[in-house]
Amino acid sequence: MDLTGKMLIAMPGMGDPRFAHSVVFLCAHSEEGAMGLIVNKTMDRMRVSDLLKQLSIRLERPEYDGNLYFGGPVEGGRGFVLHSSEYRSDLSTLRVNEAFGMTATQDVLEAMATGAGPERTLLALGYSGWGPGQLEGEIAANGWLICDATPELVFDLANAEKWPEALKSIGVDALSLSATAGHA
């Protein structure tokens, strides 16, 4: 099972409050584990322009300014740009699929600041990570549902709309979900 490029939707009974009502875009998934970014939780009072200022990068394109996202609890000081696939860094871009790429090197920020960056972006600090078999175990324990990722869901919707819309994309009404799991 390769879930690269899919979205994880946290179930109401998610034990870890950092993931409550989270929608996670999976950048990579293999036998060795998984890595993703939460795409519906921003960091309080921190904007892209604040980060660029700390890195001495002058923001010439205000359309790139926006909230920074909480990508997950791992390596909170490390930045990741989830972006549309037309952009390729000269240093290192992970091509997730035909619609998405992810770059974690400073050159993407410099390109964004001058307007030469990706058309669509989501900048996150930290990431969500799982060791071998861990994510599969959480899915089997009804911790996550899975849906297809679309650029509209990731980049266009308001954060508060992403969780219910991700559920709706697989035919699930958020009001019908229970925090307890049952097994037949």
Side-chain angles (χ1 to χ4, degrees):
M1 166 171 64
D2 182 2
L3 299 175
T4 300
K6 299 284 189 182
M7 305 278 287
L8 299 176
I9 310 163
M11 289 291 284
M14 175 61 64
D16 188 333
R18 297 172 295 187
F19 290 104
H21 288 94
S22 287
V23 179
V24 180
F25 179 86
L26 285 176
C27 300
H29 180 239
S30 71
E31 294 175 355
E32 298 168 13
M35 180 270 182
L37 300 171
I38 298 172
V39 299
N40 66 329
K41 295 188 177 192
T42 56
M43 302 184 75
D44 292 334
R45 295 169 295 205
M46 193 153 178
R47 300 186 58 79
V48 171
S49 56
D50 298 325
L51 177 65
L52 294 178
K53 189 175 183 178
Q54 288 177 14
L55 297 170
S56 300
I57 299 172
R58 185 171 168 262
L59 181 62
E60 298 172 21
R61 301 298 296 259
E63 64 268 21
Y64 279 114
D65 197 16
N67 292 318
L68 279 175
Y69 282 76
F70 170 70
V74 183
E75 292 191 49
R78 189 167 173 201
F80 300 87
V81 179
L82 180 61
H83 55 79
S84 47
S85 63
E86 86 290 341
Y87 177 82
R88 294 275 190 277
S89 162
D90 290 336
L91 298 177
S92 175
T93 293
L94 171 66
R95 185 175 197 275
V96 177
N97 59 26
E98 65 282 343
F100 295 95
M102 192 270 296
T103 305
T105 51
Q106 187 168 323
D107 62 326
V108 68
L109 300 176
E110 292 165 350
M112 288 168 59
T114 63
E119 290 177 24
R120 301 168 108 174
T121 62
L122 185 146
L123 177 53
L125 291 180
Y127 69 93
S128 303
W130 294 266
Q134 184 181 3
L135 178 57
E136 293 80 359
E138 290 180 14
I139 292 169
N142 296 316
W144 301 99
L145 293 175
I146 303 161
C147 74
D148 289 331
T150 65
E152 294 74 27
L153 181 59
V154 172
F155 299 118
D156 297 343
L157 290 178
N159 291 326
E161 295 174 18
K162 291 179 182 179
W163 188 76
E165 287 298 317
L167 288 168
K168 188 193 258 182
S169 77
I170 57 171
V172 176
D173 180 0
L175 296 175
S176 69
L177 287 179
S178 170
T180 58
H183 296 280

Short mmCIF file of all heavy atoms in Angstrom, two decimals, residues 140-166:
data_model
loop_
_atom_site.label_atom_id
_atom_site.label_comp_id
_atom_site.label_asym_id
_atom_site.label_seq_id
_atom_site.Cartn_x
_atom_site.Cartn_y
_atom_site.Cartn_z
N ALA A 140 -5.42 0.94 10.61
CA ALA A 140 -6.14 -0.27 11.00
C ALA A 140 -6.92 -0.07 12.31
O ALA A 140 -7.96 -0.68 12.52
CB ALA A 140 -5.18 -1.45 11.12
N ALA A 141 -6.41 0.81 13.18
CA ALA A 141 -7.07 1.09 14.46
C ALA A 141 -8.11 2.20 14.32
O ALA A 141 -8.57 2.75 15.33
CB ALA A 141 -6.03 1.45 15.50
N ASN A 142 -8.47 2.53 13.10
CA ASN A 142 -9.49 3.57 12.81
C ASN A 142 -9.07 4.97 13.25
O ASN A 142 -9.91 5.78 13.61
CB ASN A 142 -10.84 3.20 13.43
CG ASN A 142 -11.42 1.95 12.82
OD1 ASN A 142 -11.39 1.79 11.61
ND2 ASN A 142 -11.90 1.06 13.67
N GLY A 143 -7.77 5.25 13.20
CA GLY A 143 -7.30 6.59 13.54
C GLY A 143 -7.41 7.56 12.36
O GLY A 143 -7.51 8.77 12.56
N TRP A 144 -7.34 7.01 11.15
CA TRP A 144 -7.33 7.85 9.95
C TRP A 144 -8.24 7.28 8.86
O TRP A 144 -8.34 6.07 8.72
CB TRP A 144 -5.92 7.92 9.35
CG TRP A 144 -4.85 8.47 10.24
CD1 TRP A 144 -3.94 7.73 10.97
CD2 TRP A 144 -4.56 9.83 10.50
NE1 TRP A 144 -3.10 8.57 11.65
CE2 TRP A 144 -3.46 9.87 11.39
CE3 TRP A 144 -5.11 11.04 10.07
CZ2 TRP A 144 -2.91 11.06 11.85
CZ3 TRP A 144 -4.56 12.22 10.52
CH2 TRP A 144 -3.48 12.23 11.40
N LEU A 145 -8.82 8.18 8.09
CA LEU A 145 -9.45 7.83 6.83
C LEU A 145 -8.54 8.37 5.73
O LEU A 145 -7.70 9.24 5.98
CB LEU A 145 -10.84 8.46 6.71
CG LEU A 145 -11.90 7.93 7.67
CD1 LEU A 145 -13.19 8.73 7.52
CD2 LEU A 145 -12.16 6.45 7.43
N ILE A 146 -8.71 7.89 4.51
CA ILE A 146 -7.83 8.27 3.40
C ILE A 146 -8.69 8.82 2.27
O ILE A 146 -9.73 8.27 1.94
CB ILE A 146 -7.04 7.05 2.90
CG1 ILE A 146 -6.23 6.44 4.04
CG2 ILE A 146 -6.14 7.43 1.72
CD1 ILE A 146 -5.78 5.02 3.78
N CYS A 147 -8.22 9.92 1.67
CA CYS A 147 -8.89 10.46 0.49
C CYS A 147 -7.84 10.93 -0.52
O CYS A 147 -6.66 11.06 -0.19
CB CYS A 147 -9.85 11.61 0.84
SG CYS A 147 -9.08 13.17 1.27
N ASP A 148 -8.30 11.17 -1.73
CA ASP A 148 -7.41 11.71 -2.75
C ASP A 148 -7.13 13.18 -2.44
O ASP A 148 -8.00 13.90 -1.94
CB ASP A 148 -8.06 11.61 -4.14
CG ASP A 148 -8.11 10.18 -4.64
OD1 ASP A 148 -7.23 9.37 -4.26
OD2 ASP A 148 -9.04 9.86 -5.41
N ALA A 149 -5.93 13.60 -2.74
CA ALA A 149 -5.55 15.00 -2.56
C ALA A 149 -5.82 15.74 -3.87
O ALA A 149 -5.51 15.23 -4.94
CB ALA A 149 -4.08 15.11 -2.20
N THR A 150 -6.38 16.93 -3.75
CA THR A 150 -6.55 17.81 -4.91
C THR A 150 -5.92 19.15 -4.59
O THR A 150 -5.90 19.55 -3.42
CB THR A 150 -8.04 18.02 -5.26
OG1 THR A 150 -8.66 18.74 -4.19
CG2 THR A 150 -8.75 16.69 -5.51
N PRO A 151 -5.44 19.85 -5.59
CA PRO A 151 -4.89 21.19 -5.33
C PRO A 151 -5.93 22.11 -4.67
O PRO A 151 -5.58 22.92 -3.81
CB PRO A 151 -4.49 21.69 -6.71
CG PRO A 151 -4.17 20.43 -7.47
CD PRO A 151 -5.19 19.43 -6.98
N GLU A 152 -7.20 21.97 -5.05
CA GLU A 152 -8.23 22.82 -4.47
C GLU A 152 -8.37 22.56 -2.97
O GLU A 152 -8.47 23.50 -2.18
CB GLU A 152 -9.58 22.58 -5.17
CG GLU A 152 -9.60 23.00 -6.63
CD GLU A 152 -8.83 22.05 -7.56
OE1 GLU A 152 -8.69 20.85 -7.26
OE2 GLU A 152 -8.33 22.55 -8.60
N LEU A 153 -8.37 21.30 -2.59
CA LEU A 153 -8.49 20.95 -1.17
C LEU A 153 -7.27 21.44 -0.39
O LEU A 153 -7.41 22.02 0.69
CB LEU A 153 -8.65 19.43 -1.01
CG LEU A 153 -8.80 18.89 0.39
CD1 LEU A 153 -10.02 19.47 1.10
CD2 LEU A 153 -8.90 17.37 0.36
N VAL A 154 -6.09 21.27 -0.93
CA VAL A 154 -4.87 21.64 -0.22
C VAL A 154 -4.65 23.15 -0.18
O VAL A 154 -4.36 23.72 0.86
CB VAL A 154 -3.65 20.95 -0.86
CG1 VAL A 154 -2.34 21.47 -0.26
CG2 VAL A 154 -3.74 19.44 -0.69
N PHE A 155 -4.80 23.81 -1.33
CA PHE A 155 -4.39 25.22 -1.43
C PHE A 155 -5.53 26.23 -1.37
O PHE A 155 -5.30 27.37 -0.98
CB PHE A 155 -3.64 25.45 -2.75
CG PHE A 155 -2.38 24.65 -2.90
CD1 PHE A 155 -2.25 23.73 -3.94
CD2 PHE A 155 -1.31 24.79 -2.02
CE1 PHE A 155 -1.09 22.99 -4.10
CE2 PHE A 155 -0.16 24.05 -2.17
CZ PHE A 155 -0.04 23.15 -3.21
N ASP A 156 -6.74 25.87 -1.79
CA ASP A 156 -7.78 26.87 -1.98
C ASP A 156 -8.78 27.02 -0.83
O ASP A 156 -9.24 28.13 -0.55
CB ASP A 156 -8.57 26.60 -3.27
CG ASP A 156 -7.70 26.70 -4.51
OD1 ASP A 156 -6.60 27.29 -4.44
OD2 ASP A 156 -8.12 26.18 -5.56
N LEU A 157 -9.14 25.93 -0.20
CA LEU A 157 -10.16 25.99 0.84
C LEU A 157 -9.64 26.65 2.10
O LEU A 157 -8.46 26.55 2.43
CB LEU A 157 -10.66 24.58 1.19
CG LEU A 157 -11.48 23.85 0.14
CD1 LEU A 157 -11.83 22.45 0.63
CD2 LEU A 157 -12.73 24.62 -0.21
N ALA A 158 -10.57 27.29 2.83
CA ALA A 158 -10.23 27.81 4.15
C ALA A 158 -9.89 26.63 5.05
O ALA A 158 -10.43 25.53 4.89
CB ALA A 158 -11.41 28.60 4.72
N ASN A 159 -9.00 26.83 6.00
CA ASN A 159 -8.56 25.73 6.86
C ASN A 159 -9.72 25.03 7.56
O ASN A 159 -9.74 23.82 7.67
CB ASN A 159 -7.54 26.23 7.89
CG ASN A 159 -6.24 26.61 7.22
OD1 ASN A 159 -5.83 26.00 6.24
ND2 ASN A 159 -5.59 27.65 7.72
N ALA A 160 -10.70 25.79 8.03
CA ALA A 160 -11.85 25.21 8.73
C ALA A 160 -12.69 24.32 7.81
O ALA A 160 -13.43 23.46 8.29
CB ALA A 160 -12.71 26.32 9.33
N GLU A 161 -12.59 24.52 6.50
CA GLU A 161 -13.38 23.73 5.55
C GLU A 161 -12.67 22.46 5.09
O GLU A 161 -13.30 21.56 4.53
CB GLU A 161 -13.69 24.58 4.32
CG GLU A 161 -14.58 25.78 4.58
CD GLU A 161 -14.74 26.65 3.35
OE1 GLU A 161 -14.47 26.18 2.23
OE2 GLU A 161 -15.13 27.81 3.52
N LYS A 162 -11.37 22.37 5.30
CA LYS A 162 -10.61 21.24 4.74
C LYS A 162 -11.01 19.89 5.33
O LYS A 162 -11.16 18.92 4.60
CB LYS A 162 -9.11 21.49 4.88
CG LYS A 162 -8.61 22.61 3.98
CD LYS A 162 -7.14 22.87 4.15
CE LYS A 162 -6.70 24.04 3.27
NZ LYS A 162 -5.26 24.33 3.42
N TRP A 163 -11.17 19.80 6.64
CA TRP A 163 -11.51 18.52 7.27
C TRP A 163 -12.89 18.04 6.80
O TRP A 163 -13.00 16.91 6.30
CB TRP A 163 -11.41 18.64 8.79
CG TRP A 163 -11.54 17.34 9.52
CD1 TRP A 163 -10.62 16.35 9.64
CD2 TRP A 163 -12.69 16.90 10.26
NE1 TRP A 163 -11.11 15.32 10.40
CE2 TRP A 163 -12.38 15.64 10.80
CE3 TRP A 163 -13.93 17.46 10.52
CZ2 TRP A 163 -13.28 14.91 11.58
CZ3 TRP A 163 -14.83 16.74 11.30
CH2 TRP A 163 -14.50 15.48 11.81
N PRO A 164 -13.96 18.86 6.93
CA PRO A 164 -15.26 18.36 6.46
C PRO A 164 -15.32 18.11 4.95
O PRO A 164 -15.97 17.17 4.49
CB PRO A 164 -16.26 19.43 6.89
CG PRO A 164 -15.47 20.63 7.22
CD PRO A 164 -14.09 20.16 7.58
N GLU A 165 -14.60 18.91 4.16
CA GLU A 165 -14.61 18.70 2.70
C GLU A 165 -13.82 17.45 2.31
O GLU A 165 -14.18 16.76 1.36
CB GLU A 165 -14.06 19.93 1.97
CG GLU A 165 -15.03 21.10 1.97
CD GLU A 165 -16.35 20.79 1.26
OE1 GLU A 165 -16.31 20.17 0.17
OE2 GLU A 165 -17.40 21.17 1.79
N ALA A 166 -12.75 17.16 3.04
CA ALA A 166 -12.00 15.92 2.78
C ALA A 166 -12.91 14.72 3.08
O ALA A 166 -12.95 13.76 2.30
CB ALA A 166 -10.73 15.87 3.62
#
